[in-house]
Amino acid sequence: MSQPGIPASGGAPTGLPAQNRASSASGSLYTNGPVQNALMSSQVSVNEGYNSQLPGSYPHLIPAKTLNPVSGQSNYGGSQNVSPLSIYQGPGQTLYRPPVASNPVTPSLHSGPVPRMPLPTSQNPAATPMPSGSFLPGAIVQPPLNWQYNYPSTGSQTNHCPRASSQPAVSGNTNLTSHQYVSSGDPSLQNNFIKSATPQHANKNPTMSVGYSYPSLPPGYQNTAPPSTTGMPPSSLNYSSGPQGFTQTPLGANHLTASMSGLSLHPEGLRVINLLQERNMLPATPLQPSVPNLHEDIQKLNCNPELFRCTLTSIPQTQALLNKAKLPLGLLLHPFKDLVQLPVVTSSTIVRCRSCRTYINPFVSFLDQRRWKCNLCYRVNDVPEEFMYNPLTRVYGEPHRRPEVQNATIEFMAPSEYMLRPPQPPVYLFVFDVSHNAVETGYLNSVCQSLLDNLDLLPGNTRTKIGFITFDSTIHFYSLQEGLAQPQMLIVSDIEDVFIPMPENLLVNLNESKELVQDLLKTLPQMFTKTLETQSALGPALQAAFKLMSPTGGRMSVFQTQLPTLGMGALRPREEPNQRSSAKEIHLTPSTDFYKKLALDCSGQQVAVDLFLLSGQYSDLASLGCISRYSAGSVYYYPSYHHQQNPVQVQKFQKELQRYLTRKIGFEAVMRIRCTKGLSIHTFHGNFFVRSTDLLSLPNVNPDAGYAVQMSVEENLTDTQLVSFQSALLYTSSKGERRIRVHTLCLPVVSTLNEVFLGADVQAISGLLANMAVDRSVTASLSDARDALVNAVIDSLSAYRSSVLSNQQPGLMVPFSLRLFPLFVLALLKQKSFQTGTNARLDERIFAMCQVKNQPLVYLMLTTHPSLYRVDNLSDEGALSINDRTIPQPPILQLSVEKLSRDGAFLMDAGSVLMLWVGKNCGQNFLSQVLGVQNYALIPQIMTDLPELETPESARIIAFISWLREQRPFFPILYVIRDESPMKANFLQNMVEDRTESALSYYEFLLHIQQQVNK
Ligand SMILES: [Zn+2]
């Protein structure tokens, strides 16, 4: 099959054969190796090593209701016929968890059965034997929810169309500073330093386009050998003054020495910590990503960890070593993040490896001036003539100083061979639920007003197209043909076989029909106010919208307020309120494949569907969400949205809608991730469709989406000291340019277990485990996912204890790099996605899972382990100074009520929500100078905004909260919480270190881990 977009890789595929990929597509594997290992390994009957029993030392801490005799009888401690060790442990691996018989349960104080560890309160005892409680492939019992199967509808992607216009406009569709390296060949551009104006349509981020323009070759060099290339003394090939001082293979030994001398590990990083003695390991400032242990010359060129990071910053050289570490190997990406600076190359020659199609990058090696060696497949390639000229220095013969070789993140303007068809115009189609329920919420008014406000800010150009569909039990189209006096509504009531009336007038040029569009947006909210129609034909409306968009692709924005009831895709309520807390009875899987199939159709036609669900009732997000997941869209969820009763939700919706409408967007995108020969990518996480072995189809790409992949070591990396990973995102900008954004990450290879542990990135590991746990929840069960999370900690720390530590001290010994691992996993267990024993509504849980899969790591971590600050005593000490603003930086506190005091006020930043808890004895100063009230009793029961008072205290906290909000693409609601407020429970729920009715405290959890590790 031809590769859409990015030209096919000529060889050295980085992925597994298709059948392996298909079987690994469950995504729930903790596979550190090829899937077939699972099939080859014998099915051993083993027990979950950590299972059931709690340490005898603290069983009294377990709430009585977990000692449910019924649940105990189907105790998970029983033997199971699974092969949990097959992939986790490579050949020769001997770290089997002991079978249950060798670990008799200590009855301890229990007279009854022993509860399982993470204390689910209402396990269903009648369930079938549980699969393994670790991220192991043998445990999958159900066919996986698989978005990697072969889907025939590749549509236009198989046709390689010539490009329409051969000269792309250089104007930046970017909201960032662009260094435009223009190889126009126009000598008049030679000394130009072009500073273009801020693009009008960019979003609110600071926008400037700075360009360096230069000809491709200086006059006089074009057909002659450059004087400097002949007879060059070998020493000059070392480029000693530049970052290219390293070369991979020829200087391998030297590099190693250099790498050791450039140790970036702080001595602190070499500490071994006994977590039972040093529990408070949370830093007071935001946790920084692990820095790869590379020579500084290499590291300073490396990709920003916000864009691209690996769970292990030191890559184990063999799969056996990886297996021993028991840590997941994978990458976390935020490839389309808004950047303040991005070099853009407009050279007509994009230099790539002839063999594996890797883009030239800072980590290739130059054998001499005319040849470079690929850092992924090691092929030696010629340096093209044009590449010999350095546009920045305007010197010939310095290919290693080209921007492509100096920037790990770079964007290319793509020539015609990167196009399957001429770049399509930006197309925006809005699909509105206008049933009685929808009208009741009043959302239509907000959306239409927001659209009116932002119509000129939609990313696009003169070709931008827009259209609208509304639906209840029927489907309504709107003709917006230029010249009409007013929009014409066309109703199609046959929802069984939807047809498109007058298709040519429904998606119209925004500029030409702007007045009609504005008319429609002004009248739409009033048009249905009297409706009595309660039915919802969402499925047929989506089918109609798909048909309308098929020729061009684009973005479909769907607003839905209830469970669809009519036509294709109609759904039934599945949530049973009384079983909300049950780990097994909940419906995490879609009840129909309608939405997935339609999403794949959309993907094939370059249509992405974004779903806005505004519903107070169960709407089966597990089913509906598939429409966005497989089409590379996003899901937004506003439970209990109501224009009058829930104003703060309205505010959130409006803010997020504005971001949504105006943020950067890429169309017709594909992304490929390559890695050095020997490594293999086998499982992908995020919203997309895997179209061919390793090509992710992204009809839309947005700056707020994150992705993750899992990897294994297929061939030993013993002959190399460095490996690289490269993501290439090919997309059509809203200005109609074809662009390629490339990120390259370079990491060292290590041969010892200790080094693997030292380089572990605990946030990336936790993020990847969360993604894997979502898959496991869906393919197996929530309780299995929870077990697997706990086992990930136990297994890795056991491996560390038995294989790295020489003297076996008592306690829970962890490497410094993993000092927060148990805490973050405990936080995941208490996260909305995976928690038990709560009243979490099903759609809210599903939405949390969607967020795990689709959010960049930084937001996922904040949602999982919120940041807590004391804010009644903010000072300017250590404050940030941004422009004219002073932003206080209070220390981050542990998430425990021990850290609270009644005479203070504490702000919890949980990502999508900010909670300001005010203690009963909080100082009068804070009450009057910040909250603007005279005494505690006067704090309103519902307070979601702070007054802007003319006091330094007020200015400080408002500056701090605004700054927190600016950091993210969504709008966190602020709740001010009094001591007796019902919201206080939400606040306390996030106190991850404390014990709740259904979950262990951090200390209890550590004791449990210790007991399992020290077995
Ligand atoms: Zn290559």
Side-chain angles (χ1 to χ4, degrees), residues 277-340:
Q277 281 173 3
E278 291 187 71
R279 273 192 291 151
N280 184 9
M281 296 309 299
L282 192 71
T285 53
L287 185 63
Q288 296 303 309
S290 308
V291 179
N293 187 18
L294 291 166
H295 190 281
E296 60 181 327
D297 286 345
I298 304 176
Q299 179 53 25
K300 74 183 180 191
L301 291 173
N302 224 345
C303 197
N304 185 331
E306 290 177 9
L307 304 173
F308 204 168
R309 63 204 274 189
C310 186
T311 55
L312 303 178
T313 63
S314 293
I315 302 293
Q317 67 176 5
T318 62
Q319 180 67 32
L321 186 59
L322 174 60
N323 291 342
K324 266 191 179 176
K326 307 278 189 182
L327 290 168
L329 178 60
L331 302 168
L332 289 100
L333 294 88
H334 188 180
F336 205 52
K337 184 183 195 302
D338 285 331
L339 299 172
V340 277

Side-chain angles (χ1 to χ4, degrees), residues 125-141:
T128 49
M130 282 304 299
S132 155
S134 58
F135 292 116
L136 302 167
I140 309 306
V141 289

Side-chain angles (χ1 to χ4, degrees), residues 789-944:
L789 284 170
V790 178
N791 286 341
V793 178
I794 293 170
D795 291 344
S796 60
L797 297 186
S798 298
Y800 182 71
R801 179 184 173 86
S802 61
S803 302
V804 176
L805 292 180
S806 46
N807 53 338
Q808 300 295 322
Q809 318 160 31
L812 181 57
M813 311 308 291
V814 300
F816 187 78
S817 60
L818 293 179
R819 67 198 183 283
L820 297 173
F821 193 23
L823 179 63
F824 287 166
V825 165
L826 179 65
L828 281 172
L829 296 173
K830 297 183 178 188
Q831 213 241 27
K832 202 163 254 174
S833 304
F834 308 114
Q835 63 186 199
T836 58
T838 71
N839 288 326
R841 292 167 59 172
L842 185 47
D843 279 345
E844 289 185 23
R845 184 190 295 275
I846 300 278
F847 179 64
M849 289 180 166
C850 293
Q851 297 280 81
V852 168
K853 283 283 195 164
N854 194 33
Q855 271 192 341
L857 180 64
V858 56
Y859 309 125
L860 169 60
M861 288 312 295
L862 203 50
T863 311
T864 302
H865 188 275
S867 296
L868 180 69
Y869 309 92
R870 180 161 187 163
V871 292
D872 60 309
N873 54 0
L874 289 178
S875 75
D876 290 343
E877 194 187 327
L880 289 180
S881 190
I882 300 177
N883 298 328
D884 289 340
R885 299 184 305 159
T886 303
I887 320 284
Q889 297 291 298
I892 295 174
L893 305 174
Q894 287 172 273
L895 291 171
S896 167
V897 289
E898 287 173 21
K899 297 294 163 188
L900 304 178
S901 65
R902 290 194 181 280
D903 59 359
F906 295 83
L907 181 73
M908 180 186 284
D909 176 6
S912 58
V913 60
L914 299 167
M915 289 179 272
L916 175 59
W917 176 77
V918 185
K920 245 196 169 97
N921 305 328
C922 185
Q924 180 60 37
N925 194 49
F926 185 81
L927 297 180
S928 57
Q929 308 296 308
V930 172
L931 301 181
V933 296
Q934 287 316 302
N935 62 58
Y936 193 79
L938 292 177
I939 300 173
Q941 192 63 250
I942 295 174
M943 186 174 184
T944 57

Side-chain angles (χ1 to χ4, degrees), residues 12 352-358 372-379 381:
R352 301 174 66 180
C353 174
R354 286 185 64 192
S355 177
C356 73
R357 308 303 294 154
T358 291
W372 64 278
K373 189 171 188 177
C374 177
N375 51 330
L376 272 69
C377 75
Y378 308 123
R379 180 190 169 114
N381 293 274

